[in-house]
Amino acid sequence: MSRFSSEQLQTFAAVLTEGTLESAARMLNITPSAVSQRLKALEQAAGRVLLQRSNPVQTTESGQIVLRLAQQLAQLEADAELELGYPGESPMVSVPIVVNADSLSVWFLDALTRIPPELNAVFDLHRDDEQHSTSMLRAGTVMAAVTATPEPVQGCRVEPLGSMRYRAVTTPAFRSRWLADGVDYDALRAAPAVDFDRKDEYQHRFLGLIGGSAVRAIPPGPRHYVPSSQEFAEAIRLGLGWGLLPEAHCLPDIDAGRLVELAPHLPMDIPLYWQRWRSASRILDAVTEAVRGAAAEFLRPA
């Protein structure tokens, strides 16, 4: 006999997806009191605390294990209903995936359009830096990830997707003001850069390419933070600073003279990988095939 009921696990996953007990209650069409009672019963069955009652709620380490179980059971149920041939009679299954912002803006949505509609899937996309996205796999928050980490997370399998090429660019006016004497390490570090957020290390890594590995430990210079792919690119186009953009976002502007490359001989290629749960799943298999196909078209070969 199972220690946890499917009703308890469904409620637990809903609370973590929605962030609060009240929001989960609305999604499940039950009262917040019923949500609280199910969570209490689940924690009693587990014999430990599973949720941190923060806003939004978060899992404890034990809760991460239970969340992974809840999502795997929901996935297995959805796969079984598909194989039995009556997906239209059940709710659509939500597939949580974490993707870096540039992949999301350049190619990943194209991949999702390739997934057969009869699989009855919707997608819960989380955005995180590709250097950090595997933490959500470890926590059980997502089933799959686009990541820069080639080492598989426990319980997952990994495959290379290809590399996204970035180019360091700015406007002609910005270059004339800040880099008139040439692009070297000191001049580039003194010029304002544009970072996506405080996890974004691309501009600092590019400084290392310009100045050599010995200077990479030196703190970065002045910078703007613009945490949106479209606005990040627009900030560079408007001359706020210099930064690295995916080729898809900057080659037309380079060709038109609106942007100039700071070091055409030094493009930066970022290898990307697809990590997904190892468990067999018709839905995850279809997502993987679609991601693999889109990556082959949009990314440089691995």
Side-chain angles (χ1 to χ4, degrees), residues 56-115:
V57 296
Q58 298 180 19
T59 61
T60 63
E61 287 189 16
S62 298
Q64 292 176 6
I65 299 170
V66 175
L67 175 60
R68 190 160 53 244
L69 171 64
Q71 291 182 330
Q72 288 173 342
L73 287 176
Q75 170 201 315
L76 289 171
E77 182 179 2
D79 284 334
E81 290 176 347
L82 282 171
E83 292 181 21
L84 289 170
Y86 44 84
E89 299 177 16
S90 62
M92 299 187 81
V93 61
S94 178
V95 182
I97 304 171
V98 60
V99 189
N100 63 303
D102 287 334
S103 290
L104 193 58
S105 66
V106 172
W107 66 273
F108 194 80
L109 292 179
D110 182 277
L112 298 186
T113 66
R114 306 176 185 214
I115 295 167

Side-chain angles (χ1 to χ4, degrees), residues 20 66-67 92 164 166 188 246 253 262 271:
T20 66
V66 175
L67 175 60
M92 299 187 81
M164 183 172 285
Y166 291 78
L188 199 59
D253 288 313
L262 300 180

Side-chain angles (χ1 to χ4, degrees), residues 230-300:
Q230 182 175 343
E231 282 72 27
F232 176 88
E234 188 65 14
I236 294 172
R237 294 190 191 100
L238 292 173
L240 285 180
W242 68 272
L244 280 93
L245 290 177
E247 282 188 332
H249 288 171
C250 66
L251 285 183
D253 288 313
I254 293 172
D255 292 340
R258 292 185 292 268
L259 293 176
V260 293
E261 276 198 82
L262 300 180
H265 62 293
L266 281 179
M268 196 163 75
D269 291 341
I270 303 298
L272 296 175
Y273 301 86
W274 176 245
Q275 293 214 34
R276 53 155 287 186
W277 287 355
R278 189 179 294 277
S279 55
S281 165
R282 182 178 173 186
I283 292 174
L284 272 182
D285 288 347
V287 174
T288 297
E289 183 178 352
V291 167
R292 190 184 295 134
E297 292 182 21
F298 286 91
L299 302 180
R300 292 179 173 267

Side-chain angles (χ1 to χ4, degrees), residues 78-279:
D79 284 334
E81 290 176 347
L82 282 171
E83 292 181 21
L84 289 170
Y86 44 84
E89 299 177 16
S90 62
M92 299 187 81
V93 61
S94 178
V95 182
I97 304 171
V98 60
V99 189
N100 63 303
D102 287 334
S103 290
L104 193 58
S105 66
V106 172
W107 66 273
F108 194 80
L109 292 179
D110 182 277
L112 298 186
T113 66
R114 306 176 185 214
I115 295 167
E118 59 269 21
L119 290 182
N120 222 30
V122 292
F123 300 96
D124 180 7
L125 298 182
H126 301 255
R127 189 185 67 191
D128 201 359
D129 182 87
E130 60 271 26
Q131 307 291 336
H132 300 86
S133 53
T134 53
S135 62
M136 299 187 78
L137 275 173
R138 291 189 185 92
T141 308
V142 298
M143 298 179 182
V146 175
T147 175
T149 305
E151 296 80 19
V153 171
Q154 184 177 4
C156 294
R157 61 180 188 232
V158 60
E159 64 179 87
L161 293 174
S163 295
M164 183 172 285
R165 173 160 288 187
Y166 291 78
R167 296 187 179 273
V169 294
T170 191
T171 62
F174 184 94
R175 179 165 181 166
S176 296
R177 177 184 176 188
W178 291 95
L179 305 165
D181 295 329
V183 179
D184 59 28
Y185 174 80
D186 292 329
L188 199 59
R189 184 173 180 273
V194 183
D195 279 359
F196 186 85
D197 56 22
R198 284 162 178 80
K199 293 180 180 179
D200 182 3
E201 298 180 352
Y202 285 0
Q203 284 63 234
H204 193 47
R205 288 171 63 179
F206 183 75
L207 278 171
L209 294 177
I210 294 291
S213 58
V215 303
R216 291 183 186 175
I218 299 175
R223 54 210 49 238
H224 307 280
Y225 294 99
V226 185
S228 164
S229 292
Q230 182 175 343
E231 282 72 27
F232 176 88
E234 188 65 14
I236 294 172
R237 294 190 191 100
L238 292 173
L240 285 180
W242 68 272
L244 280 93
L245 290 177
E247 282 188 332
H249 288 171
C250 66
L251 285 183
D253 288 313
I254 293 172
D255 292 340
R258 292 185 292 268
L259 293 176
V260 293
E261 276 198 82
L262 300 180
H265 62 293
L266 281 179
M268 196 163 75
D269 291 341
I270 303 298
L272 296 175
Y273 301 86
W274 176 245
Q275 293 214 34
R276 53 155 287 186
W277 287 355
R278 189 179 294 277
S279 55

